[in-house]
Amino acid sequence: MLVLGIETTCDETAASVVERQSDGSGRILSNIVRSGQTEEHAAFGGVVPEIAARAHVDLLDGIVDRAMKEAGIGFAQLSAVAAAAGPGLIGGVIVGLTTAKAIAMVHDTPLIAVNHLEAHALTPRLTCALAFPYCLFLASGGHTQIVAVVGVGKYVRLGTTVDDAMGEAFDKTAKMLGCPIRADRRWNVPRAAATPAALHFRGRSRARRCQFLLSGLKTGRAQ
Amino acid sequence: MKPARLTPLQPQDVADLCASFQAAVLESTATG
């Protein structure tokens, strides 16, 4: 079984071809990622949804083409086309999902609309022999959760943030520090700003009740 | 809520998380 996957939920444009083997395991045949769109967003100090969506429109067809060529297959060989259907930046999600729908319609192939968080929960099983159940720590720009992954479609949320997601708190704090985004996605933190004296953290994490309180990072920096 | 510095995890935090994970798995398995 061969599946083309498309991901456009934030500022990375990606396409991949994955093969499900006879023993049920997965094999990644291609994985093309255009990371960051750094130049487009740099002037704004963070990801701008409208710019990200327009960049996906420009890039996605070429990236799908590269993914198919690297996998060495044609569209007629696909068993299905999958795309992240949310949550995510809605402009980007629409671009990726509509592209996947078009490919599925033209080639009379099933479409799989994938929950973005479920994809994060199950992707580790593609790259290592990870058996159910396992505990997942999911940290992104929009979510910070601890989840018991019991099986496909069976998830129990053990904890979550009660205010900001980790990515939101760290990105906005870095922006307040004036840290430019680098192409490798690392924050270029000035030495003075990285010292405890300059960065007075007020955020608090309380795992006992499995709650994360992260917006204090921004408040602490602003004060 | 009173602001506080970021605090490291304590052994009891990890124990509580492990217990909640175990309970969630057992409950999910029992209910099919």
Side-chain angles (χ1 to χ4, degrees):
Chain A
M1 176 184 283
L2 293 165
V3 177
L4 168 67
I6 292 172
E7 143 67 10
T8 53
T9 55
C10 191
D11 62 334
E12 290 187 332
T13 313
S16 175
V17 176
V18 175
E19 180 183 35
R20 181 186 168 95
Q21 301 181 108
S22 56
D23 64 356
S25 64
R27 188 163 72 99
I28 299 169
L29 301 183
S30 65
N31 183 28
I32 309 298
V33 182
R34 204 283 196 172
S35 291
Q37 304 170 4
T38 309
E39 304 82 20
E40 295 92 329
H41 300 279
F44 302 94
V47 176
V48 182
E50 175 74 15
I51 293 175
R54 289 171 185 270
H56 290 311
V57 172
D58 288 339
L59 296 166
L60 186 55
D61 57 343
I63 285 179
V64 168
D65 184 54
R66 284 178 56 196
M68 295 295 288
K69 283 179 177 162
E70 191 170 299
I73 64 164
F75 286 104
Q77 294 171 261
L78 289 174
S79 307
V81 181
L89 301 179
I90 190 61
V93 170
I94 289 171
V95 173
L97 195 54
T98 305
T99 301
K101 284 182 178 179
I103 294 170
M105 285 182 69
V106 168
H107 298 283
D108 194 22
T109 304
L111 172 79
I112 303 171
V114 179
N115 180 289
H116 184 187
L117 303 184
E118 186 173 26
H120 280 303
L122 298 175
T123 300
R125 288 168 49 82
L126 263 180
T127 52
C128 62
L130 187 61
F132 296 121
Y134 53 89
C135 192
L136 171 79
F137 176 56
L138 197 164
S140 71
H143 296 83
T144 303
Q145 299 181 349
I146 296 178
V147 180
V149 183
V150 183
V152 176
K154 294 178 75 172
Y155 314 99
V156 181
R157 195 175 67 187
L158 304 176
T160 186
T161 177
V162 296
D163 45 33
D164 277 348
M166 192 167 280
E168 158 70 17
F170 274 60
D171 280 4
K172 291 296 189 300
T173 303
K175 186 178 179 182
M176 282 188 262
L177 288 168
C179 306
I181 303 176
R182 301 196 318 190
D184 59 4
R185 307 289 289 165
R186 293 180 185 169
W187 289 106
N188 189 11
V189 181
R191 183 177 294 273
T195 63
L199 193 63
H200 186 66
F201 284 96
R202 290 175 185 271
R204 188 175 183 188
S205 171
R206 288 165 50 184
R208 186 161 301 164
R209 286 160 54 198
C210 277
Q211 289 184 338
F212 296 94
L213 301 148
L214 295 159
S215 65
L217 287 172
K218 294 187 297 189
T219 310
R221 178 56 200 169
Q223 287 177 343
Chain B
M1 189 175 295
K2 187 179 179 182
R5 279 184 171 273
L6 197 66
T7 53
L9 284 176
Q10 301 299 316
Q12 188 60 49
D13 296 327
V14 179
D16 288 348
L17 178 58
C18 291
S20 62
F21 173 74
Q22 190 173 31
V25 171
L26 288 173
E27 188 176 336
S28 294
T29 307
T31 56

